[in-house]
PDB file of all heavy atoms in Angstrom:
ATOM      1  N   SER B  75      -3.489  16.014   5.416  1.00  0.00           N
ATOM      2  CA  SER B  75      -2.924  16.735   4.320  1.00  0.00           C
ATOM      3  C   SER B  75      -1.400  16.672   4.231  1.00  0.00           C
ATOM      4  O   SER B  75      -0.761  16.535   5.322  1.00  0.00           O
ATOM      5  CB  SER B  75      -3.317  18.213   4.244  1.00  0.00           C
ATOM      6  OG  SER B  75      -2.926  18.889   5.431  1.00  0.00           O
ATOM      7  N   LEU B  76      -0.860  16.659   3.060  1.00  0.00           N
ATOM      8  CA  LEU B  76       0.557  16.641   2.849  1.00  0.00           C
ATOM      9  C   LEU B  76       0.968  17.905   2.104  1.00  0.00           C
ATOM     10  O   LEU B  76       0.440  18.234   1.067  1.00  0.00           O
ATOM     11  CB  LEU B  76       0.960  15.399   1.946  1.00  0.00           C
ATOM     12  CG  LEU B  76       2.432  15.275   1.565  1.00  0.00           C
ATOM     13  CD1 LEU B  76       3.208  14.810   2.785  1.00  0.00           C
ATOM     14  CD2 LEU B  76       2.596  14.248   0.436  1.00  0.00           C
ATOM     15  N   ARG B  77       1.975  18.578   2.707  1.00  0.00           N
ATOM     16  CA  ARG B  77       2.398  19.910   2.124  1.00  0.00           C
ATOM     17  C   ARG B  77       3.847  19.804   1.635  1.00  0.00           C
ATOM     18  O   ARG B  77       4.756  19.311   2.381  1.00  0.00           O
ATOM     19  CB  ARG B  77       2.227  20.997   3.119  1.00  0.00           C
ATOM     20  CG  ARG B  77       2.656  22.368   2.558  1.00  0.00           C
ATOM     21  CD  ARG B  77       2.055  23.528   3.345  1.00  0.00           C
ATOM     22  NE  ARG B  77       2.481  24.818   2.789  1.00  0.00           N
ATOM     23  CZ  ARG B  77       1.841  25.420   1.762  1.00  0.00           C
ATOM     24  NH1 ARG B  77       0.828  24.821   1.151  1.00  0.00           N
ATOM     25  NH2 ARG B  77       2.314  26.604   1.353  1.00  0.00           N
ATOM     26  N   LEU B  78       4.066  20.333   0.432  1.00  0.00           N
ATOM     27  CA  LEU B  78       5.412  20.544  -0.072  1.00  0.00           C
ATOM     28  C   LEU B  78       5.723  22.021  -0.030  1.00  0.00           C
ATOM     29  O   LEU B  78       5.043  22.797  -0.695  1.00  0.00           O
ATOM     30  CB  LEU B  78       5.471  20.079  -1.533  1.00  0.00           C
ATOM     31  CG  LEU B  78       5.528  18.562  -1.791  1.00  0.00           C
ATOM     32  CD1 LEU B  78       4.184  17.927  -1.498  1.00  0.00           C
ATOM     33  CD2 LEU B  78       5.955  18.312  -3.280  1.00  0.00           C
ATOM     34  N   GLU B  79       6.655  22.413   0.814  1.00  0.00           N
ATOM     35  CA  GLU B  79       6.869  23.822   1.038  1.00  0.00           C
ATOM     36  C   GLU B  79       7.648  24.494  -0.126  1.00  0.00           C
ATOM     37  O   GLU B  79       7.419  25.590  -0.514  1.00  0.00           O
ATOM     38  CB  GLU B  79       7.676  24.032   2.348  1.00  0.00           C
ATOM     39  CG  GLU B  79       6.864  23.734   3.597  1.00  0.00           C
ATOM     40  CD  GLU B  79       5.743  24.705   3.894  1.00  0.00           C
ATOM     41  OE1 GLU B  79       5.628  25.759   3.165  1.00  0.00           O
ATOM     42  OE2 GLU B  79       4.945  24.451   4.765  1.00  0.00           O
ATOM     43  N   SER B  80       8.609  23.752  -0.608  1.00  0.00           N
ATOM     44  CA  SER B  80       9.399  24.224  -1.773  1.00  0.00           C
ATOM     45  C   SER B  80       9.735  23.042  -2.636  1.00  0.00           C
ATOM     46  O   SER B  80      10.667  22.297  -2.395  1.00  0.00           O
ATOM     47  CB  SER B  80      10.695  24.835  -1.270  1.00  0.00           C
ATOM     48  OG  SER B  80      11.513  25.338  -2.324  1.00  0.00           O
ATOM     49  N   ALA B  81       8.867  22.829  -3.665  1.00  0.00           N
ATOM     50  CA  ALA B  81       8.928  21.608  -4.477  1.00  0.00           C
ATOM     51  C   ALA B  81      10.244  21.545  -5.255  1.00  0.00           C
ATOM     52  O   ALA B  81      10.837  22.527  -5.777  1.00  0.00           O
ATOM     53  CB  ALA B  81       7.771  21.576  -5.488  1.00  0.00           C
ATOM     54  N   ALA B  82      10.733  20.290  -5.382  1.00  0.00           N
ATOM     55  CA  ALA B  82      11.928  19.968  -6.108  1.00  0.00           C
ATOM     56  C   ALA B  82      11.616  18.869  -7.118  1.00  0.00           C
ATOM     57  O   ALA B  82      10.761  18.120  -6.935  1.00  0.00           O
ATOM     58  CB  ALA B  82      13.030  19.516  -5.167  1.00  0.00           C
ATOM     59  N   PRO B  83      12.394  18.859  -8.257  1.00  0.00           N
ATOM     60  CA  PRO B  83      12.164  17.806  -9.249  1.00  0.00           C
ATOM     61  C   PRO B  83      12.192  16.383  -8.623  1.00  0.00           C
ATOM     62  O   PRO B  83      11.517  15.490  -9.181  1.00  0.00           O
ATOM     63  CB  PRO B  83      13.268  18.015 -10.283  1.00  0.00           C
ATOM     64  CG  PRO B  83      13.552  19.500 -10.148  1.00  0.00           C
ATOM     65  CD  PRO B  83      13.390  19.844  -8.605  1.00  0.00           C
ATOM     66  N   SER B  84      12.966  16.193  -7.615  1.00  0.00           N
ATOM     67  CA  SER B  84      13.033  14.839  -6.999  1.00  0.00           C
ATOM     68  C   SER B  84      11.738  14.423  -6.337  1.00  0.00           C
ATOM     69  O   SER B  84      11.541  13.269  -5.964  1.00  0.00           O
ATOM     70  CB  SER B  84      14.116  14.821  -5.972  1.00  0.00           C
ATOM     71  OG  SER B  84      13.874  15.704  -4.897  1.00  0.00           O
ATOM     72  N   GLN B  85      10.845  15.390  -6.138  1.00  0.00           N
ATOM     73  CA  GLN B  85       9.489  15.079  -5.563  1.00  0.00           C
ATOM     74  C   GLN B  85       8.458  14.752  -6.650  1.00  0.00           C
ATOM     75  O   GLN B  85       7.306  14.536  -6.314  1.00  0.00           O
ATOM     76  CB  GLN B  85       9.050  16.228  -4.736  1.00  0.00           C
ATOM     77  CG  GLN B  85       9.954  16.385  -3.477  1.00  0.00           C
ATOM     78  CD  GLN B  85       9.492  17.604  -2.659  1.00  0.00           C
ATOM     79  OE1 GLN B  85       9.397  18.741  -3.119  1.00  0.00           O
ATOM     80  NE2 GLN B  85       9.282  17.384  -1.388  1.00  0.00           N
ATOM     81  N   THR B  86       8.854  14.692  -7.909  1.00  0.00           N
ATOM     82  CA  THR B  86       8.005  14.196  -8.955  1.00  0.00           C
ATOM     83  C   THR B  86       7.698  12.722  -8.643  1.00  0.00           C
ATOM     84  O   THR B  86       8.569  11.950  -8.558  1.00  0.00           O
ATOM     85  CB  THR B  86       8.668  14.322 -10.361  1.00  0.00           C
ATOM     86  OG1 THR B  86       8.773  15.683 -10.668  1.00  0.00           O
ATOM     87  CG2 THR B  86       7.824  13.562 -11.408  1.00  0.00           C
ATOM     88  N   SER B  87       6.425  12.425  -8.518  1.00  0.00           N
ATOM     89  CA  SER B  87       6.053  11.108  -8.054  1.00  0.00           C
ATOM     90  C   SER B  87       4.525  10.945  -8.108  1.00  0.00           C
ATOM     91  O   SER B  87       3.791  11.912  -8.427  1.00  0.00           O
ATOM     92  CB  SER B  87       6.534  10.857  -6.615  1.00  0.00           C
ATOM     93  OG  SER B  87       6.384   9.482  -6.241  1.00  0.00           O
ATOM     94  N   VAL B  88       4.056   9.782  -7.772  1.00  0.00           N
ATOM     95  CA  VAL B  88       2.594   9.588  -7.528  1.00  0.00           C
ATOM     96  C   VAL B  88       2.455   9.394  -6.031  1.00  0.00           C
ATOM     97  O   VAL B  88       3.144   8.607  -5.387  1.00  0.00           O
ATOM     98  CB  VAL B  88       2.077   8.363  -8.250  1.00  0.00           C
ATOM     99  CG1 VAL B  88       0.590   8.187  -7.980  1.00  0.00           C
ATOM    100  CG2 VAL B  88       2.361   8.446  -9.753  1.00  0.00           C
ATOM    101  N   TYR B  89       1.529  10.208  -5.462  1.00  0.00           N
ATOM    102  CA  TYR B  89       1.344  10.183  -4.040  1.00  0.00           C
ATOM    103  C   TYR B  89       0.009   9.491  -3.689  1.00  0.00           C
ATOM    104  O   TYR B  89      -0.997   9.784  -4.274  1.00  0.00           O
ATOM    105  CB  TYR B  89       1.361  11.615  -3.478  1.00  0.00           C
ATOM    106  CG  TYR B  89       2.695  12.266  -3.596  1.00  0.00           C
ATOM    107  CD1 TYR B  89       3.089  12.826  -4.775  1.00  0.00           C
ATOM    108  CD2 TYR B  89       3.551  12.240  -2.517  1.00  0.00           C
ATOM    109  CE1 TYR B  89       4.372  13.419  -4.885  1.00  0.00           C
ATOM    110  CE2 TYR B  89       4.810  12.794  -2.611  1.00  0.00           C
ATOM    111  CZ  TYR B  89       5.211  13.387  -3.780  1.00  0.00           C
ATOM    112  OH  TYR B  89       6.497  13.966  -3.925  1.00  0.00           O
ATOM    113  N   PHE B  90       0.107   8.596  -2.722  1.00  0.00           N
ATOM    114  CA  PHE B  90      -1.102   7.845  -2.221  1.00  0.00           C
ATOM    115  C   PHE B  90      -1.304   8.182  -0.799  1.00  0.00           C
ATOM    116  O   PHE B  90      -0.428   8.122   0.018  1.00  0.00           O
ATOM    117  CB  PHE B  90      -0.894   6.337  -2.402  1.00  0.00           C
ATOM    118  CG  PHE B  90      -0.998   5.876  -3.849  1.00  0.00           C
ATOM    119  CD1 PHE B  90       0.127   5.734  -4.604  1.00  0.00           C
ATOM    120  CD2 PHE B  90      -2.258   5.635  -4.388  1.00  0.00           C
ATOM    121  CE1 PHE B  90       0.044   5.318  -5.953  1.00  0.00           C
ATOM    122  CE2 PHE B  90      -2.326   5.163  -5.725  1.00  0.00           C
ATOM    123  CZ  PHE B  90      -1.258   5.043  -6.488  1.00  0.00           C
ATOM    124  N   CYS B  91      -2.600   8.413  -0.524  1.00  0.00           N
ATOM    125  CA  CYS B  91      -3.017   8.449   0.858  1.00  0.00           C
ATOM    126  C   CYS B  91      -3.709   7.169   1.265  1.00  0.00           C
ATOM    127  O   CYS B  91      -4.356   6.522   0.348  1.00  0.00           O
ATOM    128  CB  CYS B  91      -3.966   9.623   1.048  1.00  0.00           C
ATOM    129  SG  CYS B  91      -4.736   9.830   2.693  1.00  0.00           S
ATOM    130  N   ALA B  92      -3.628   6.768   2.433  1.00  0.00           N
ATOM    131  CA  ALA B  92      -4.263   5.506   2.930  1.00  0.00           C
ATOM    132  C   ALA B  92      -4.787   5.678   4.332  1.00  0.00           C
ATOM    133  O   ALA B  92      -4.305   6.518   5.068  1.00  0.00           O
ATOM    134  CB  ALA B  92      -3.313   4.316   2.810  1.00  0.00           C
ATOM    135  N   SER B  93      -5.768   4.924   4.640  1.00  0.00           N
ATOM    136  CA  SER B  93      -6.237   4.824   6.008  1.00  0.00           C
ATOM    137  C   SER B  93      -6.330   3.375   6.413  1.00  0.00           C
ATOM    138  O   SER B  93      -6.466   2.466   5.575  1.00  0.00           O
ATOM    139  CB  SER B  93      -7.603   5.554   6.208  1.00  0.00           C
ATOM    140  OG  SER B  93      -8.624   4.795   5.545  1.00  0.00           O
ATOM    141  N   ARG B  94      -6.270   3.116   7.749  1.00  0.00           N
ATOM    142  CA  ARG B  94      -6.180   1.766   8.207  1.00  0.00           C
ATOM    143  C   ARG B  94      -7.307   1.392   9.125  1.00  0.00           C
ATOM    144  O   ARG B  94      -7.696   2.153   9.980  1.00  0.00           O
ATOM    145  CB  ARG B  94      -4.868   1.630   8.953  1.00  0.00           C
ATOM    146  CG  ARG B  94      -4.726   0.319   9.737  1.00  0.00           C
ATOM    147  CD  ARG B  94      -3.331   0.164  10.355  1.00  0.00           C
ATOM    148  NE  ARG B  94      -3.414  -0.654  11.538  1.00  0.00           N
ATOM    149  CZ  ARG B  94      -3.275  -0.258  12.791  1.00  0.00           C
ATOM    150  NH1 ARG B  94      -3.109   1.056  13.049  1.00  0.00           N
ATOM    151  NH2 ARG B  94      -3.363  -1.019  13.788  1.00  0.00           N
ATOM    152  N   SER B  95      -7.826   0.282   8.812  1.00  0.00           N
ATOM    153  CA  SER B  95      -8.906  -0.336   9.645  1.00  0.00           C
ATOM    154  C   SER B  95      -8.288  -1.320  10.591  1.00  0.00           C
ATOM    155  O   SER B  95      -7.282  -1.862  10.336  1.00  0.00           O
ATOM    156  CB  SER B  95      -9.951  -0.990   8.790  1.00  0.00           C
ATOM    157  OG  SER B  95      -9.417  -2.184   8.278  1.00  0.00           O
ATOM    158  N   SER B  96      -8.908  -1.482  11.686  1.00  0.00           N
ATOM    159  CA  SER B  96      -8.547  -2.566  12.562  1.00  0.00           C
ATOM    160  C   SER B  96      -9.756  -3.047  13.301  1.00  0.00           C
ATOM    161  O   SER B  96     -10.570  -2.186  13.724  1.00  0.00           O
ATOM    162  CB  SER B  96      -7.457  -2.167  13.535  1.00  0.00           C
ATOM    163  OG  SER B  96      -7.826  -1.080  14.320  1.00  0.00           O
ATOM    164  N   GLY B  97      -9.964  -4.325  13.422  1.00  0.00           N
ATOM    165  CA  GLY B  97     -11.137  -4.818  14.048  1.00  0.00           C
ATOM    166  C   GLY B  97     -10.882  -6.203  14.595  1.00  0.00           C
ATOM    167  O   GLY B  97     -10.204  -7.011  14.015  1.00  0.00           O
ATOM    168  N   LEU B  98     -11.481  -6.440  15.726  1.00  0.00           N
ATOM    169  CA  LEU B  98     -11.335  -7.750  16.357  1.00  0.00           C
ATOM    170  C   LEU B  98     -12.185  -8.692  15.605  1.00  0.00           C
ATOM    171  O   LEU B  98     -13.405  -8.464  15.426  1.00  0.00           O
ATOM    172  CB  LEU B  98     -11.745  -7.604  17.829  1.00  0.00           C
ATOM    173  CG  LEU B  98     -11.648  -8.900  18.672  1.00  0.00           C
ATOM    174  CD1 LEU B  98     -10.164  -9.292  18.706  1.00  0.00           C
ATOM    175  CD2 LEU B  98     -12.140  -8.607  20.080  1.00  0.00           C
ATOM    176  N   ALA B  99     -11.628  -9.803  15.202  1.00  0.00           N
ATOM    177  CA  ALA B  99     -12.406 -10.834  14.527  1.00  0.00           C
ATOM    178  C   ALA B  99     -11.915 -12.172  14.981  1.00  0.00           C
ATOM    179  O   ALA B  99     -10.850 -12.587  14.565  1.00  0.00           O
ATOM    180  CB  ALA B  99     -12.266 -10.719  13.005  1.00  0.00           C
ATOM    181  N   GLY B 100     -12.641 -12.806  15.847  1.00  0.00           N
ATOM    182  CA  GLY B 100     -12.180 -14.074  16.404  1.00  0.00           C
ATOM    183  C   GLY B 100     -10.933 -13.835  17.255  1.00  0.00           C
ATOM    184  O   GLY B 100     -10.881 -12.904  18.018  1.00  0.00           O
ATOM    185  N   VAL B 101      -9.889 -14.552  16.968  1.00  0.00           N
ATOM    186  CA  VAL B 101      -8.644 -14.446  17.718  1.00  0.00           C
ATOM    187  C   VAL B 101      -7.777 -13.367  17.004  1.00  0.00           C
ATOM    188  O   VAL B 101      -7.511 -13.405  15.877  1.00  0.00           O
ATOM    189  CB  VAL B 101      -7.879 -15.737  17.749  1.00  0.00           C
ATOM    190  CG1 VAL B 101      -6.539 -15.544  18.471  1.00  0.00           C
ATOM    191  CG2 VAL B 101      -8.690 -16.768  18.502  1.00  0.00           C
TER     192      VAL B 101
END
Side-chain angles (χ1 to χ4, degrees):
Chain B
S75 62
L76 177 72
R77 182 161 179 84
L78 286 70
E79 292 291 352
S80 179
S84 62
Q85 294 178 305
T86 292
S87 189
V88 180
Y89 292 85
F90 286 94
C91 177
S93 68
R94 171 175 153 252
S95 72
S96 59
L98 183 62
V101 176

